[in-house]
Amino acid sequence: MFYREVGQYNDNYAAASRMVPVLQDRWIIIAVAAFMVFAVPFMVNDYWALAILNPVLILSLATLGLNILTGYTGQLSLGSAGFMMIGAFGTYNFLLRVDWMNIFPAMFLSGIIAGLVGVFFGLPSARIKGFYLLVSTLAAYYFIWWFFNTFEYFTNYTSSGVVTIPRSHYEIFGFNLASASGKYLITIITVIIMTLIAKNMVRSSIGRNWVAVRDQDIAANVIGIQVVRTKLIAFFVSSFMLAVSGALYSYTYLGNVGNEIYNLRRSFLVLFMVIIGGLGSIMGSFMGAAFVYLFPIVVSRLGDTFFGGGALDSAFIENNSKIVMGAIIIYLLIKEPAGFAAIWQSIKNKLRSWPFTT
């Protein structure tokens, strides 16, 4: 952006196909990741860790999971909240009933279960697409909600249906990470790992198959791509990531598990984040989640600054935030369908050639 790539040459295929080919970009990414992992936990207070950073990171991961399915593969889905629910309940029950388990393998196993459920409900994609598939995934959400609402075993027979997570569930190799900084560490490490996996997958032959199916599934089939298999892989990966984000949402943000937390509104919210951030963009997933979650907070803070504390009612802020976000979605669909990610890429391209732009 503020530097030139001139003089950086690749003399082999491996160097040319690096995840981040520009040297300066690699160092920036490594520095930011190291700062987020090793410095931020000691710099931020509990409010910033639990109320700002954790939910933004978790919702970014959920958005990335849906983006794999919708943005990269072109399969519409409203089952996001259901798969997040599987991740939350699955992680809770693994930790409750298996003595040696800690949160990381519990999230992994819950993600596998969610992935298999996603594959099952993704089978109709072999025959239907578009809004018809959207209805199928909506049925998946209602089935998952009914399942956890009916069988009280998964809430450990709690009468309220909402389970408070005990501190013992945060034990990892003898260290208890129930503090705000500990929960942040669990979140940031998981999000970095999952983002790296997603980035490598979209660069692989699997990712290229996803894009081919999204752009033209008939042509993809003609050139030898197994369309149904490609779609089901996308359903599995997407459901896995959504389940992990759901587990993090309960464990490192809310501190409790309940099926009412993962209502249909959350599915729409994640879908809006994908649209605003940019379909088929990993960076866009983070940008969309950050914007949707932080926008009402920023509006509230600005209102308190200019009009005095409490001058703007919280309901007024929430309702008007929805109106503004709806207007932004409409504007992006008309002017920039690729979302904030495309806007950011355009800015980078202009800065890269500055001051020689015309």
Side-chain angles (χ1 to χ4, degrees), residues 31-316:
V32 170
F35 177 77
M36 294 289 288
V37 173
F38 297 108
V40 170
F42 305 100
M43 296 174 60
V44 299
N45 55 30
D46 290 0
Y47 171 77
W48 270 91
L50 297 179
I52 302 296
L53 295 177
N54 275 5
V56 169
L57 291 169
I58 294 166
L59 291 173
S60 297
L61 181 58
T63 306
L64 177 58
L66 183 59
N67 218 337
I68 292 291
L69 184 64
T70 301
Y72 283 97
T73 319
Q75 309 302 299
L76 297 177
S77 174
L78 278 177
S80 306
F83 299 116
M84 293 176 73
M85 199 186 306
I86 294 177
F89 278 98
T91 301
Y92 171 75
N93 280 274
F94 277 122
L95 290 171
L96 179 68
R97 307 178 196 285
V98 184
D99 293 335
W100 57 266
M101 189 78 68
N102 67 50
I103 191 171
F104 288 113
M107 288 193 297
F108 176 79
L109 293 174
S110 300
I112 294 293
I113 294 171
L116 295 175
V117 174
V119 169
F120 176 78
F121 283 101
L123 288 173
S125 66
R127 295 286 184 178
I128 59 178
K129 61 176 69 175
F131 290 105
Y132 298 101
L133 182 61
L134 198 70
V135 174
S136 174
T137 57
L138 185 61
Y141 163 76
Y142 281 116
F143 174 81
I144 295 168
W145 185 91
W146 167 85
F147 183 83
F148 287 116
N149 190 56
T150 302
F151 297 99
E152 297 178 355
Y153 172 84
F154 295 101
T155 57
N156 203 25
Y157 302 100
T158 304
S159 58
S160 65
V162 178
V163 183
T164 301
I165 298 171
R167 286 181 59 87
S168 59
H169 283 199
Y170 298 94
E171 290 279 350
I172 300 177
F173 303 120
F175 297 95
N176 193 295
L177 299 180
S179 64
S181 57
K183 291 178 180 179
Y184 169 78
L185 279 174
I186 294 173
T187 303
I188 189 64
I189 290 171
T190 305
V191 170
I192 289 175
I193 292 172
M194 298 299 289
T195 303
L196 289 174
I197 292 172
K199 179 67 175 177
N200 278 288
M201 290 196 74
V202 300
R203 295 170 59 247
S204 68
S205 59
I206 295 174
R208 291 191 290 272
N209 290 347
W210 286 341
V211 174
V213 170
R214 177 197 67 189
D215 291 343
Q216 184 54 262
D217 54 352
I218 297 176
N221 189 40
V222 169
I223 64 175
I225 295 174
Q226 299 180 35
V227 174
V228 176
R229 178 175 176 270
T230 300
K231 290 180 179 179
L232 294 182
I233 290 174
F235 270 98
F236 181 89
V237 174
S238 173
S239 302
F240 182 95
M241 290 188 172
L242 285 164
V244 172
S245 69
L248 291 174
Y249 197 81
S250 282
Y251 269 80
T252 65
Y253 176 44
L254 294 179
N256 55 64
V257 178
N259 57 357
E260 293 300 334
I261 297 169
Y262 304 98
N263 51 34
L264 188 59
R265 178 179 174 273
R266 193 152 309 281
S267 291
F268 280 105
L269 188 68
V270 175
L271 181 60
F272 293 159
M273 291 175 180
V274 172
I275 295 172
I276 291 175
L279 292 167
S281 170
I282 292 177
M283 175 64 75
S285 300
F286 286 85
M287 296 173 73
F291 176 82
V292 172
Y293 181 80
L294 295 177
F295 182 77
I297 297 175
V298 172
V299 171
S300 177
R301 292 296 178 89
L302 290 176
D304 291 343
T305 301
F306 290 104
F307 302 104
L312 296 179
D313 183 72
S314 58
F316 172 84

Side-chain angles (χ1 to χ4, degrees), residues 275-276 326-339 343:
I275 295 172
I276 291 175
I328 291 174
I329 290 174
I330 294 172
Y331 175 81
L332 288 175
L333 289 174
I334 296 172
K335 294 293 185 180
E336 188 52 82
I343 296 173

